Structure formats: C-alpha cells, structure tokens
Amino acid sequence: MTIQWFPGHMTRARRQIQDKLKLIDVVIELLDARIPLSSRNPMIDEILQNKPRLVLLNKHDLADPEVTSQWVAYFAEQGLQALPVDAATGNQMKEIMARCKQLMADKIEKQLSKGVNPRAIRALIVGIPNVGKSTLINRLANRKIAATGDKPGVTKAQQWIKVGTEMELLDTPGILWPKFEDQQVGMRLAATGAIKEEILYPEEVALFAVRYLASHYGTSLQERFGIARLPEDPGDTDAIIEVMEAIGRKRGALLSGGRVDLEKASLTILRELRAGKMGRVSLESPSDIPDPASVTEER
Ligand code: G4P
C-alpha cells in the first residue's frame, strides 16, 4: 500500500489513533527489524503518550539477528520492551500475548485485589504502511480479517477481534507516516520496499543499498553476485557504480550495444535484497545513529 501523506492526512491519522487510544489498554508498535528507527513515526512518543507499549521488530526473518539483538538492547535502554517477530510465519504470537499481559500486570493485580474479574486486554496495532500490520492482525486472529478502508481519513465501525480469551484486538490498525523528510530514512524505506520505486529512482536506492552492503555485508554481496573484489572505500561512488554494473552484466541487464542497463540492474539488486537472497541483512544499526553532540557541532 502506498499512501501520499499530506499535512492534513497526518493530522487526521494522528487524531484517529488518539481516538482509538481511549478504547485500548496496550499499543503494539510495529517496526521493521531491518530498519527500526527509519520505519518509526517521528512523533510516536507524543502520539501514544504514556500508554503501555510493546515494540515488535517485524520481518526478523530478513534482518541480521546480531543487529536485531543490539536494537532490543537499544529499546530496553529507552524503557521499551522490543520483541523480534515474523508476522508472516506467526512465530512468537503467544509471546506477544504474554508480553502484553505483563505490561498490564499491575492493573490486573489491582482489579483482582478488588474482587473484579479482569476483562480481556484491549490492544491496537500501529505502524507505517507495509510494516506488516494486516499480516500480524490475521496471525493473531488466526483467520483472514477482510482488508478494510484503513486509510487516513476513512472511518468505519470498530470491531474487536478475539485473540484467545485474554486479549482483544482492534481490527483496524493505526497507520502512521515515517520520517521521510530525512533522505537517509527515505533510502532505507525504499531499499526495504516500504516506499515504492516510483517515488525514488531505483538507481539511487540501489546505490545506497550496495554501498551499505559493501561496507557491512561485503562477503554476502560478493558471493551472491560473484564479485571478485569490492572497492576499498565504500564512499567512492564511481567504484560502487562499477559494482552495480558488474552485477548488471552478471544478470544480463544489458542495453543494445552491450552497455549495462543500470535501472534494470538496480531493480534486480533491490528485488534480491528484499527477498533475502543476500542472507539476513539489516540496513540500520544503533551505531548508525548520529551522535547528538556531533550534529549540534555541525549547525
Ligand atoms: P501493512 O498492513 O502494515 O501495510 O503490511 P502488510 O501486512 O500488508 O505486509 C506488507 C508485506 O510484508 C506483505 O508482503 C507481507 O507478506 C510482508 N510481511 C509481513 N510480515 C512479514 C514477516 O514477518 N516477514 C516477511 N518476510 N514478510 C512479511 P506482500 O503481500 O508480498 O506485499 P508486497 O511484497 O507486495 O509489498
């Protein structure tokens, strides 16, 4: 799903989520495990305020497990529990329920001490488009929930979906916008497929991806495309373009006259990356976060 976000849509999306917050106990914030910060809404803390929250690092099957562990530690430092999951295969569904229950433990305890039988925990899934919200709802519900008009500005009656006996889920997730004004964020979103190519040039996105792969996953890149040597300096754009051209030749992405069709080569690289053909790859790690001190100095 691609949504064109305008300020009016953002305001409406935010208002819709805030209206739903009144109905729910726990927010399940879905992020892409390969790019947790880039797939995050920049105003999330403000929007969710102090609602108990569980962060899910989805598509963990495609992400580098070592980097995902670093992200779990990163979120723990911010006081947030983060759980790596694969909504597509449905692993960890029981753990999601257990964690939500844990987040509500105090409230449940209080109700029990007053002799009140705690009602099912009510949860809302929020996240940017394509992060896996519908897939997760279907997994938790254990059936296919009809895709609804979950577009910003489109309202409909809310339905609760039973997840076991102890949890209920709102059938319509909250859709949030990413921080696309940051160019690096845009590249990461595009490289993982959260933003479609029509918006950005595939050559530019593939250049970003190959540069990142060359500096973090060089061996996987070499093995996948049979590249003998990678540039010593991944910052050298011409050298990275040469790698892309070598990949294009390997994959037969050629124009008449034998020149490499760089657009076709780029689309191939991105397709294979998104399908996990280069192994489990993360495109963002906590060490990529700029040091706030150095950002201030640049101003
Ligand atoms: P959304 O509601 O947040 O917009 O996302 P949705 O569930 O539609 O999921 C977007 C795509 O991500 C789907 O691929 C879905 O199968 C995939 N996906 C969701 N969870 C996982 C996961 O844990 N692992 C992997 N590998 N993929 C996951 P799709 O239907 O093929 O869509 P697309 O590829 O055409 O965008």
Side-chain angles (χ1 to χ4, degrees):
M1 175 182 29
T2 310
I3 299 178
Q4 294 286 344
W5 292 95
F6 297 104
H9 292 134
M10 296 185 190
T11 311
R12 264 199 301 276
R14 178 186 180 144
R15 201 177 308 132
Q16 280 184 356
I17 291 182
Q18 282 174 333
D19 283 347
K20 289 173 183 173
L21 285 184
K22 295 174 195 140
L23 310 172
I24 59 119
D25 303 306
V26 178
V27 176
I28 297 176
E29 185 191 0
L30 209 52
L31 304 178
D32 187 318
R34 297 166 293 175
I35 50 166
L37 286 196
S38 295
S39 58
R40 197 162 207 220
N41 175 272
M43 293 172 73
I44 193 70
D45 291 339
E46 216 179 308
I47 294 173
L48 300 183
Q49 303 198 340
N50 293 324
K51 269 286 166 198
R53 190 187 337 170
L54 175 65
V55 172
L56 297 184
L57 302 173
N58 192 37
K59 309 196 188 185
H60 180 47
D61 54 313
L62 297 172
D64 180 337
E66 214 169 285
V67 178
T68 303
S69 303
Q70 293 169 17
W71 282 116
V72 170
Y74 169 89
F75 284 108
E77 267 175 35
Q78 325 244 316
L80 286 169
Q81 278 197 51
L83 178 69
V85 300
D86 309 325
T89 55
N91 81 341
Q92 300 284 43
M93 295 301 116
K94 285 214 172 97
E95 185 62 20
I96 294 174
M97 283 190 260
R99 298 275 183 115
C100 288
K101 231 174 126 180
Q102 246 173 39
L103 285 169
M104 297 304 298
D106 287 352
K107 205 168 164 184
I108 293 172
E109 189 66 33
K110 257 190 212 152
Q111 286 173 319
L112 285 173
S113 69
K114 284 188 200 155
V116 178
N117 241 352
R119 61 165 171 74
I121 297 169
R122 295 191 154 174
L124 167 70
I125 292 174
V126 302
I128 65 165
N130 280 317
V131 73
K133 298 179 296 299
S134 314
T135 311
L136 181 67
I137 290 177
N138 289 335
R139 277 289 166 192
L140 285 169
N142 217 0
R143 65 195 154 96
K144 192 146 176 48
I145 305 297
T148 50
D150 59 348
K151 294 207 175 94
V154 181
T155 46
K156 64 164 203 68
Q158 297 292 342
Q159 305 276 339
W160 293 99
I161 301 162
K162 283 203 184 320
V163 182
T165 52
E166 291 174 304
M167 196 163 135
E168 287 177 355
L169 197 64
L170 263 187
D171 69 338
T172 319
I175 306 179
L176 287 163
W177 63 96
K179 190 183 173 184
F180 26 46
E181 62 274 17
D182 178 324
Q183 215 213 347
Q184 287 285 308
V185 169
M187 287 297 162
R188 291 188 190 107
L189 289 167
T192 52
I195 296 182
K196 303 288 172 215
E197 279 99 15
E198 302 93 71
I199 301 175
L200 292 157
Y201 290 108
E203 293 92 328
E204 243 184 286
V205 182
L207 178 69
F208 162 82
V210 172
R211 203 194 293 283
Y212 198 90
L213 289 165
S215 55
H216 295 78
Y217 300 96
T219 312
S220 311
L221 183 67
Q222 283 182 290
E223 283 174 3
R224 176 73 194 166
F225 297 110
I227 298 164
R229 243 171 49 87
L230 287 175
E232 266 164 39
D233 173 15
D236 179 345
T237 299
D238 289 342
I240 296 293
I241 291 174
E242 276 172 30
V243 174
M244 291 163 66
E245 286 173 343
I247 295 172
R249 275 190 291 275
K250 290 265 174 200
R251 290 287 185 266
L254 299 174
L255 296 164
S256 56
R259 270 190 313 121
V260 173
D261 183 340
L262 203 57
E263 182 182 350
K264 203 167 165 194
S266 300
L267 290 171
T268 302
I269 294 165
L270 294 174
R271 192 175 53 247
E272 296 193 19
L273 171 66
R274 289 170 191 160
K277 303 284 187 204
M278 277 158 253
R280 296 176 71 174
V281 163
S282 294
L283 293 174
E284 181 174 54
S285 83
S287 56
D288 295 330
I289 302 169
D291 176 3
S294 68
V295 174
T296 325
E297 268 168 35
E298 276 169 22
R299 277 194 188 147

